[in-house]
Amino acid sequence: MRGVPADLNTRADYERCQELARNGELRHRDMQRLREHWAGMLEGRHYYAPDRVLDDGEDPDGSEPEYLVREVEDEETGDVRRQQFVRTERDPSALTRTGFTVQEVEDAISELEGMING
């Protein structure tokens, strides 16, 4: 394999690329691309699910990033209302599908950043 493929789908794909980086077989830009793959795995594990409509002036049930408030237009009436969204774990996600833990991914990112910046 030369460089980092556009898609990494399995745990073995990620581990193989990380090993190439450790062995000095990846160019700087490929290590950055691999870092983006790892970061995307963390970012993609959550999404915001609609929770409930808030009354005017009502505070959300919590702060970001757990809760997000957006103004949403009602498709039937055209009225704009404040909608609360709650951060929810996506299942399956790339993280759960590959079997990595959050700590393992964070460690891989830190290791790559050390190689990129070092």
Side-chain angles (χ1 to χ4, degrees), residues 6 14 17 21-22 55 75 82 100:
Y14 281 89
C17 288
R22 280 188 202 109
D55 292 329
E75 293 178 11
R82 292 177 61 235
F100 284 108

Side-chain angles (χ1 to χ4, degrees), residues 13-59:
D13 291 341
Y14 281 89
E15 289 173 341
R16 188 175 323 116
C17 288
Q18 193 76 9
E19 189 64 28
L20 289 172
R22 280 188 202 109
N23 294 337
E25 297 177 46
L26 291 182
R27 296 175 300 214
H28 189 263
R29 70 176 179 197
D30 288 323
M31 285 193 286
Q32 289 175 321
R33 186 174 187 185
L34 179 56
R35 188 209 173 283
E36 290 169 7
H37 279 291
W38 285 114
M41 189 184 295
L42 288 181
E43 292 164 8
R45 77 182 201 267
H46 293 110
Y47 70 99
Y48 284 98
D51 186 35
R52 65 187 185 91
V53 175
L54 298 175
D55 292 329
D56 287 337
E58 182 181 5
D59 290 330

Side-chain angles (χ1 to χ4, degrees), residues 32-118:
Q32 289 175 321
R33 186 174 187 185
L34 179 56
R35 188 209 173 283
E36 290 169 7
H37 279 291
W38 285 114
M41 189 184 295
L42 288 181
E43 292 164 8
R45 77 182 201 267
H46 293 110
Y47 70 99
Y48 284 98
D51 186 35
R52 65 187 185 91
V53 175
L54 298 175
D55 292 329
D56 287 337
E58 182 181 5
D59 290 330
D61 295 337
S63 59
E64 289 187 30
E66 296 305 315
Y67 292 90
L68 183 67
V69 176
R70 294 186 180 143
E71 290 188 354
V72 178
E73 185 176 337
D74 186 303
E75 293 178 11
E76 292 179 19
T77 66
D79 294 340
V80 176
R81 62 181 192 259
R82 292 177 61 235
Q83 175 83 41
Q84 174 176 282
F85 294 81
V86 63
R87 187 173 154 190
T88 305
E89 188 102 10
R90 185 180 311 275
D91 190 26
S93 68
L95 184 72
T96 58
R97 190 176 64 250
T98 57
F100 284 108
T101 64
V102 170
Q103 187 62 55
E104 288 173 317
V105 173
E106 289 173 345
D107 290 346
I109 290 170
S110 293
E111 180 182 28
L112 275 173
E113 288 174 344
M115 289 184 266
I116 291 168
N117 299 321

